[in-house]
Amino acid sequence: MPLDANIAGALPQWCLRLKDLRFVADGRAISWEQNHVTAMHAMLRQWGGMRSLVLTAIDSTLLDHIGCSFNQSLTELRIRILFVLLSTKQSLLHLTDFSLPCLHTFEFSGNALWCAEFLPCTAESPLQVVELKWHDEGDKLALTKIGTALASRKLPSFLRSIRLRDESSIGGDRGQFLDHIQPLLTFEALQTFELSSDLTFHVNNQAIQQVSKAWKYIKSFTLEVNVTPSLSLESLAYFTHCPNLTQLSLPVYDTRDLPEWAFGSDPPDHVYSNDTLTALGIGASYIRHPLDVAAFISRLFPSIEHIDVSPGDGEDEDEDEDEDEQLSLWSQCNEYLPTVSMIRQGGLWKKPEHEETR
C-alpha cells in the first residue's frame, strides 16, 4: 500500500487493532519525504496496542522520527539494516533514547560495530531475548566488542536468550573462543545460547568446562563454528551437570579417542548422568567404533535416541567415499543407542572388545 499523508485516516477500524507490524522496504534504499514520515507517525500512534514491530531496509529519515511513535506496549522490536550509512547510525542511536518498558525481544542485523549499541532497554526492562546478526568486515575483535557492549549495557540479570550470527564473507582465525564470550558469562540465568559463524575459534575442553559452569541453567547450547584444535568427545561431559539442558550442539570433530574413564565405574566428579537432554548434534565428527561411542554417549545422556551429524564438504572423490563410510558408521551408532541404554540400565555393560583398530 503506497503511503501518503491521508493514509491513517483511510485505514479501516479493524487495522487499528493490529498487534504486529512488519515494514519492509523490499531491499531498496528509499528516500522518505516528509508526508511519508507524517503518515507513518499517524499510523504508529493509532496502533496503541501494537506488540511487534519489524523494520527492514529503512533509511535514516524515517529512523530519525520513528522512535517517538513507539508505544509503551511494544514487546518485540526487530531492526534489519541493509545499507550501512553514518546517518543511519546516528538515527539508531536516537532510538535508544526512548523507553520501552515492556520490551521482551530485540533483534538487530547490520554492521558488527553497531550491533550491541542500540539496545533500547535498561536494567529494569523485561528484555529476555537478544538476537544479533552482523558482518565483521575482517575485524577480528568484532565478537569481543559485541560481548563487551552487551555486558556494559546493564541488561537485566534475568536475560534468557542470546543468539549471535556472524554472516561475514571473510574467513579466518579469530583466536580464543573464551576471550570473545567472557563478558557474556555474567548472565548466569541464561537459558539459550547460539553462536553461528564460518570463522575459526580456538576451543578446548577447559573453555567448554568454564562455559558450562557459568551457565548452569542453560537449556539449549549451540556452537556452530570451526574449531581448532578438535574438541574431544569428553567435552560433552561438562554439560551433564546442567539439569535443564534439552538441546546441545558442539563441533566435536573426532570421537576416536574416548577418555580413560569412559567404561569405568568411577567417572570424574564433573561427570553425571543427565536424562534431560534429548537432542544432540556433534558436527561432522569422525568415528571409528560406533558401539563404543553409543555406549559412552548413552552413559552421559541416557535419553538420547539419535545423534545429529553434519555431512562434510569433501572436495574430491576420495573424500566423498570417506564421508559415505562415516555416515554409515554414524547410522550404526544411532542403531546401537537404544540397546546400550537398556543394557546399561541393567548394570550389564562393559567395554567392548575389538579385533582390529582403524
Side-chain angles (χ1 to χ4, degrees):
M1 180 184 297
L3 282 175
D4 59 50
N6 298 317
I7 190 172
L11 286 174
Q13 287 300 308
W14 63 266
C15 284
L16 304 183
R17 296 193 296 272
L18 291 177
K19 303 295 184 184
D20 185 358
L21 173 63
R22 299 175 184 272
F23 186 85
V24 182
D26 196 26
R28 296 186 297 269
I30 295 178
S31 178
W32 284 77
E33 299 178 1
Q34 185 56 46
N35 65 321
H36 294 157
V37 175
T38 301
M40 181 60 76
H41 267 297
M43 289 183 355
L44 293 177
R45 280 198 300 268
Q46 292 192 62
W47 277 325
M50 185 170 58
R51 297 288 187 268
S52 174
L53 179 61
V54 181
L55 306 172
T56 301
I58 58 178
D59 77 344
S60 59
T61 307
L62 181 60
L63 279 171
D64 273 335
H65 300 89
I66 203 170
C68 62
S69 301
F70 287 163
N71 58 72
Q72 300 295 297
S73 62
L74 196 66
T75 60
E76 177 185 3
L77 175 60
R78 300 182 184 273
I79 300 175
R80 297 159 184 170
I81 302 298
L82 304 185
F83 307 99
V84 181
L85 303 171
L86 182 59
S87 59
T88 307
K89 179 177 181 180
Q90 296 303 319
S91 302
L92 286 167
L93 287 173
H94 181 57
L95 291 183
T96 62
D97 296 333
F98 297 95
S99 175
L100 296 174
C102 297
L103 191 65
H104 175 278
T105 299
F106 176 76
E107 174 195 327
F108 181 85
S109 302
N111 180 280
L113 300 183
W114 301 1
C115 250
E117 297 183 35
F118 314 117
L119 292 171
C121 67
T122 66
E124 291 75 33
S125 69
L127 185 68
Q128 293 193 20
V129 178
V130 172
E131 301 177 9
L132 303 178
K133 303 175 185 178
W134 72 91
H135 305 268
D136 77 357
E137 301 173 350
D139 183 354
K140 293 186 176 182
L141 297 178
L143 181 56
T144 303
K145 294 174 181 177
I146 288 171
T148 301
L150 282 171
S152 66
R153 287 288 296 172
K154 297 182 179 179
L155 296 177
S157 59
F158 49 80
L159 189 68
R160 293 292 186 265
S161 176
I162 297 178
R163 294 183 171 94
L164 306 173
R165 182 174 181 83
D166 185 339
E167 299 178 332
S168 305
S169 58
I170 302 175
D173 191 321
R174 291 299 183 262
Q176 295 295 331
F177 167 73
L178 196 59
D179 291 343
H180 288 284
I181 69 161
Q182 189 75 47
L184 301 179
L185 300 185
T186 59
F187 299 113
E188 297 180 353
L190 200 68
Q191 296 179 356
T192 299
F193 177 79
E194 296 180 11
L195 173 60
S196 178
S197 174
D198 288 332
L199 301 174
T200 298
F201 293 88
H202 294 251
V203 188
N204 55 27
N205 287 356
Q206 288 69 37
I208 295 300
Q209 181 180 26
Q210 190 166 340
V211 169
S212 65
K213 282 185 175 180
W215 294 335
K216 53 182 176 292
Y217 301 110
I218 198 79
K219 292 183 177 180
S220 176
F221 182 90
T222 301
L223 184 61
E224 295 180 346
V225 300
N226 298 314
V227 300
T228 182
S230 299
L231 278 174
S232 73
L233 202 62
E234 186 177 5
S235 62
L236 301 176
Y238 293 107
F239 282 97
T240 57
H241 76 282
C242 300
N244 302 324
L245 188 68
T246 60
Q247 188 276 333
L248 176 62
S249 181
L250 279 179
V252 180
Y253 291 143
D254 196 339
T255 66
R256 289 173 291 182
D257 296 319
L258 295 176
E260 294 181 359
W261 52 265
F263 303 98
S265 57
D266 297 316
D269 292 339
H270 68 270
V271 180
Y272 297 83
S273 179
N274 184 320
D275 60 3
T276 62
L277 188 76
T278 56
L280 176 64
I282 57 174
S285 180
Y286 193 94
I287 186 172
R288 179 195 296 171
H289 298 305
L291 184 56
D292 282 8
V293 174
F296 177 72
I297 290 179
S298 176
R299 176 174 193 168
L300 301 180
F301 308 109
S303 298
I304 287 292
E305 297 181 354
H306 183 83
I307 303 167
D308 290 323
V309 181
S310 304
D313 54 355
E315 298 179 355
D316 55 45
E317 272 190 36
D318 291 339
E319 290 185 3
D320 288 339
E321 291 178 3
D322 188 61
E323 177 185 325
D324 291 340
E325 181 181 357
Q326 286 298 300
L327 290 176
S328 176
L329 291 173
W330 275 111
S331 179
Q332 293 178 36
C333 179
N334 280 319
E335 291 175 0
Y336 287 140
L337 281 173
T339 302
V340 296
S341 178
M342 180 177 62
I343 294 175
R344 186 175 299 287
Q345 290 175 12
L348 303 176
W349 185 260
K350 64 178 182 179
K351 182 177 179 178
E353 296 294 334
H354 299 283
E355 296 181 359
E356 60 182 35
T357 58
R358 176 170 178 168

